[in-house]
Amino acid sequence: MRWEKVMGLEVHLQLATQSKIFSSSSTTFGADPNNHTNPLDMALPGTLPVLNHEAVTKAIIFGLGVGAEIGKISRFDRKNYFYPDLPKGYQISQFFEPIVKEGVFDVPMPDGSIFPVRILRAHLEEDAGKSVHDAIPDQTGIDLNRAGTPLLEVVTEPDFRTADQVVAYLKALHALVTYLGISDGNMAEGSMRCDVNLSLRLEGEEEYGIRTELKNINSFRFIERAIYVEAERQQDILESGGEVTQETRLFDPDADETRSMRSKEVANDYRYFPDPDLLPVVVDDTTIERIRAELPELPAVKRARFTDQLGLSQYDASLLTQDRATAEFFEAVSARCNNPKSAANWILGDVSANLNKSGTTLNESPLVAETLADLIIRIDDGTLSSKMAKTVFDALWDGSSDVDEIIEQKGLKQVSDTGALETIVNDLIANNPAQVEQYRAADEGKQKKLIGFFVGQAMKASKGQANPQMLNQLLKEKLS
Ligand code: ADP
Ligand code: MG
């Protein structure tokens, strides 16, 4: 029996606004507990919510970014439940009429293919506060800094069949929202949180199985692992004739298992009803078109331009468009040196290797686009061999900024001057008559091996600075 995984995702994106969705408190991360709170966040009597215009605009930007229909009239509802980090006793969310309706989001897969994911809806809501268990001995503290932070919850259809598809979707979503500037997408700070709904069915079957929901997994590696572990667990149950319980589960990376958190609640449990404190949100066509006109170039469009106009492979194009900073860096380098392929190779090769090693981002690195372009120009005009280019690159990474100055200082110029090379080659031939005779008597296959001796000697004579292509050419001519 072959089991197929069926997965649908719910991603909570923290929208990058300065103040909260219904109050003027700051949304800045990392403040001391309860420093970013005001009477509304604390649910004091007599306070009323005021909708943050910017949160609505950013939700619309997202909807347009995934080609979804925008809800012309959306509403806020109360989702009622008790928890210490939710002093009002309800969360304000959009249940009946979300701001973003159906759309299709094209996800680039590592093999260059496109995986279309159906977006079911995206709705605005407020975040809850946080229970803090380790600040006060034997007590739990409540930090309301996060309460009221604007979230956009993006819900997909159950279109995913593999963990690879899930990870590719999350990466593409991350790229999209950071391009659009609507969220910083920082997973470690909780700006992007992912719930995976997972069920199994026998391959070829139409109907979906009973699902569990894996809550708040906060890294790509854990998501892959959680999916694997939960699918194994469900498979064991199904193969031993049991039934999966619909519930919310937690992935514990240390124990490498998922654990039941609570039985699955249904909508009725929450007694959703329209929040009487907030008016419906009405968005007219003029507003939608104004926002559409201001959208930046989306990753998908950039990707297509990189392959069609700049001749990059699908693979390189999708790697370079994974974040906006890298894409813009690539464009700046490639425009200046006029060699997109080489620019891509350097950025995806040495540059990203160095960034990984030092654990920094492109913006923090000492390398600027202009100097990397200058380096490529000096390779393309024959001044630098690829080996010398590496030396220059290392110097740039260490903080030098002028390519020609580094070449000058380190005496790295390749000898591409025919006259100088000819002198070296002539001397070599005159001083090694035996090797020359051996070369001339050999067949073509053997000559290819014997020429190595001359190349080596000539390189030595030029202190490693001879242009290898020119040297080879010249040696072949003079020896035959
Ligand atoms: P709820 O209201 O209980 O959260 P939804 O119908 O809104 O449920 O679906 C939540 C998520 O679960 C969606 O992403 C959806 O694609 C996914 N989902 C629904 N049914 C299944 C299933 N049988 N297997 C896997 N995922 C599912
Ligand atoms: Mg849900």
Side-chain angles (χ1 to χ4, degrees):
M1 285 192 289
R2 288 265 305 156
W3 295 97
E4 179 180 59
K5 291 189 277 288
V6 172
M7 292 170 282
L9 263 61
E10 293 163 279
V11 174
H12 287 88
L13 295 166
Q14 182 179 326
L15 295 175
T17 58
Q18 294 191 329
S19 58
K20 294 184 179 178
I21 185 166
F22 300 118
S23 87
S24 58
S25 296
S26 164
T27 54
T28 312
F29 181 82
D32 284 341
N34 299 307
N35 273 31
H36 290 166
T37 52
N38 68 15
L40 184 107
D41 308 324
M42 294 185 277
L44 297 191
T47 55
L48 286 170
V50 177
L51 179 58
N52 183 334
H53 191 276
E54 195 53 27
V56 176
T57 304
K58 291 202 150 81
I60 297 172
I61 292 175
F62 175 82
L64 296 175
V66 292
E69 189 196 335
I70 303 301
K72 298 275 177 62
I73 299 180
S74 63
R75 288 192 174 80
F76 286 98
D77 306 296
R78 291 186 178 182
K79 181 181 182 179
N80 300 279
Y81 68 94
F82 169 80
Y83 207 73
D85 65 18
L86 187 75
K88 289 198 303 301
Y90 59 86
Q91 177 195 25
I92 305 177
S93 180
Q94 296 188 312
F95 182 70
F96 298 105
E97 300 286 348
I99 181 113
V100 177
K101 301 183 173 185
E102 279 130 359
V104 175
F105 180 42
D106 283 342
V107 174
M109 294 297 292
D111 67 1
S113 63
I114 294 293
F115 171 57
V117 173
R118 288 173 301 158
I119 304 291
L120 195 62
R121 57 187 276 156
H123 58 260
L124 282 164
E125 60 186 29
E126 59 177 346
D127 207 347
K130 221 166 55 180
S131 297
V132 183
H133 303 290
D134 54 6
I136 314 160
D138 301 325
Q139 291 183 44
T140 293
I142 302 294
D143 178 6
L144 293 177
N145 280 351
R146 210 180 59 185
T149 299
L151 301 178
L152 188 68
E153 178 174 343
V154 184
V155 186
T156 75
E157 294 279 3
D159 285 348
F160 303 90
R161 300 292 173 267
T162 67
D164 287 349
Q165 291 171 342
V166 170
V167 170
Y169 166 75
L170 291 172
K171 285 188 173 160
L173 192 65
H174 184 273
L176 179 76
V177 300
T178 51
Y179 269 72
L180 293 172
I182 58 176
S183 173
D184 66 18
N186 189 328
M187 284 180 105
E189 290 179 5
S191 306
M192 184 166 162
R193 304 196 289 263
C194 175
D195 305 341
V196 181
N197 295 271
L198 187 155
S199 64
L200 295 183
R201 65 176 173 189
L202 283 175
E203 233 163 48
E205 215 160 85
E206 281 279 317
E207 238 172 273
Y208 295 141
I210 297 169
R211 72 179 191 272
T212 57
E213 180 174 358
L214 298 167
K215 270 274 177 228
N216 279 339
I217 324 169
N218 61 0
S219 83
F220 292 132
R221 199 162 53 86
F222 287 169
I223 283 165
E224 281 187 299
R225 193 64 204 165
I227 289 172
Y228 178 81
V229 169
E230 175 60 12
E232 291 275 291
R233 190 190 69 87
Q234 290 189 13
Q235 185 175 341
D236 285 348
I237 293 173
L238 294 171
E239 287 184 346
S240 59
E243 212 177 60
V244 173
T245 314
Q246 184 165 347
E247 62 186 354
T248 303
R249 298 182 69 86
L250 210 66
F251 175 62
D252 176 346
D254 296 322
D256 198 32
E257 64 180 22
T258 67
R259 274 200 301 272
S260 181
M261 210 172 130
R262 55 169 186 256
S263 65
K264 176 72 189 171
E265 66 288 350
V266 288
N268 269 344
D269 297 338
Y270 289 119
R271 306 235 169 262
Y272 280 102
F273 67 88
D275 191 317
D277 290 342
L278 287 155
L279 290 166
V281 179
V282 180
V283 186
D284 59 16
D285 287 323
T286 322
T287 307
I288 294 176
E289 289 321 311
R290 179 180 51 74
I291 295 174
R292 194 195 304 279
E294 288 167 6
L295 287 183
E297 187 178 43
L298 298 176
V301 180
K302 259 202 170 61
R303 210 158 54 227
R305 197 160 52 74
F306 287 0
T307 55
D308 301 351
Q309 289 175 21
L310 302 179
L312 298 189
S313 68
Q314 279 287 351
Y315 183 73
D316 286 359
S318 62
L319 285 181
L320 287 169
T321 49
Q322 242 158 44
D323 68 275
R324 194 166 167 179
T326 307
E328 283 171 359
F329 187 82
F330 162 74
E331 290 208 77
V333 175
S334 128
R336 186 173 164 107
C337 71
N338 220 341
N339 188 344
K341 282 204 175 121
S342 184
N345 287 341
W346 275 96
I347 292 167
L348 297 173
D350 291 82
V351 175
S352 91
N354 277 19
L355 290 176
N356 280 340
K357 223 186 296 158
S358 58
T360 47
T361 65
L362 208 43
N363 288 331
E364 298 159 349
S365 93
L367 190 68
V368 290
E370 288 71 27
T371 46
L372 181 61
D374 289 346
L375 174 63
I376 295 171
I377 291 170
R378 286 292 169 256
I379 301 166
D380 289 347
D381 71 10
T383 307
L384 293 173
S385 69
S386 49
K387 209 169 143 215
M388 293 168 177
K390 282 282 263 187
T391 311
V392 175
F393 179 77
D394 289 342
L396 291 176
W397 201 266
D398 289 338
S400 303
S401 59
D402 189 318
V403 170
D404 286 338
E405 216 173 272
I406 301 169
I407 293 174
E408 215 33 72
Q409 273 169 7
K410 300 201 183 262
L412 284 173
K413 258 195 189 96
Q414 241 182 165
V415 179
S416 301
D417 162 3
T418 331
L421 287 178
E422 244 183 310
T423 314
I424 292 174
V425 170
N426 285 341
D427 287 353
L428 203 57
I429 290 179
N431 295 335
N432 298 282
Q435 280 87 344
V436 173
E437 204 170 308
Q438 196 189 359
Y439 178 91
R440 289 186 175 149
D443 60 28
E444 222 179 292
K446 199 94 192 289
Q447 281 186 343
K448 276 202 181 121
K449 282 187 200 143
L450 292 171
I451 202 165
F453 163 77
F454 296 99
V455 174
Q457 292 295 314
M459 268 296 177
K460 219 164 160 188
S462 76
K463 301 201 178 69
Q465 296 183 341
N467 178 325
Q469 279 100 30
M470 290 183 68
L471 184 63
N472 253 302
Q473 188 59 34
L474 209 58
L475 275 167
K476 269 191 211 142
E477 276 169 33
K478 299 263 175 188
L479 282 167
S480 57

